[in-house]
Amino acid sequence: MTSLAAVEEVERVVGHPMPPLVRRLYLEIADGGIGPFNGFYPLRDGPGMLTDYVEFLTCESAPTDPPPTPAGVLFFCFEHAMSGMLLDFRHPEGQMWLWDQGDRHKLDLTFPQWLEAWLGGCLTDQFLEPRKLQDESWVGSWVCEELPPSTFEVPDSL
């Protein structure tokens, strides 16, 4: 569990209240480490939700870097280094976003729906793909680039 003061600090810095179910999970269950993928981020410790939010919004980026996420959208959990979920505090229930290889997609999916999909065992790429929205999403220019054909050959010894 985390303290009410820590939750209120996140809400103050973000400028929006934490979605109610998310707030309850942090206050009543755990300060991160539970849930899909590798678990929700803790609020402040290590790679924490608040720490990463402030760092991401204030860092200087190169022209080739993706634009920062909109204010109020925080990194929430990661499946691995290049794929994870973000949580939009601007939405009353918390709208979910997908971060995939640098691209980000706002989803037609709230936090309670996302959690229900995970508990039901259907939180897959096939489940998330049709829920991608166009507004506020960002896809890098590399999506339009054609990759050269692979020259990899399987060794005879395999």
Side-chain angles (χ1 to χ4, degrees):
M1 292 188 299
T2 192
S3 70
L4 179 58
V7 168
E8 289 173 342
E9 177 187 20
V10 169
E11 293 174 332
R12 180 184 53 74
V13 172
V14 173
H16 298 277
M18 193 175 280
L21 182 56
V22 176
R23 194 175 214 266
R24 285 195 64 199
L25 287 169
Y26 278 100
L27 288 172
E28 299 175 23
I29 306 294
D31 183 18
I34 60 168
F37 308 129
N38 293 312
F40 315 152
Y41 271 4
L43 291 184
R44 295 187 290 190
D45 297 330
M49 203 169 20
L50 183 60
T51 309
D52 285 2
Y53 176 70
V54 170
E55 182 179 315
F56 195 72
L57 287 181
T58 58
C59 71
E60 290 197 29
S61 57
T64 56
D65 287 346
T69 57
V73 179
L74 289 75
F75 288 98
F76 189 61
C77 66
F78 275 88
E79 183 175 11
H80 51 77
M82 295 301 291
S83 179
M85 302 300 296
L86 295 93
L87 179 65
D88 192 339
F89 278 45
R90 301 171 303 172
H91 187 282
E93 293 184 79
Q95 188 159 17
M96 300 306 296
W97 292 55
L98 173 66
W99 181 276
D100 186 23
Q101 313 260 347
D103 298 336
R104 65 171 185 252
H105 304 276
K106 186 177 184 178
L107 301 173
D108 184 17
L109 193 66
T110 64
F111 176 74
Q113 293 166 334
W114 178 75
L115 199 57
E116 183 178 4
W118 171 64
L119 291 169
C122 63
L123 190 58
T124 63
D125 289 339
Q126 293 78 17
F127 175 80
L128 295 174
E129 187 66 34
R131 289 163 175 79
K132 292 179 180 177
L133 301 172
Q134 295 303 312
D135 67 315
E136 295 187 286
S137 293
W138 183 86
V139 176
S141 59
W142 54 82
V143 171
C144 298
E145 297 172 5
E146 282 199 34
L147 297 175
S150 174
T151 58
F152 177 78
E153 293 181 21
V154 178
D156 292 334
S157 61
L158 294 180

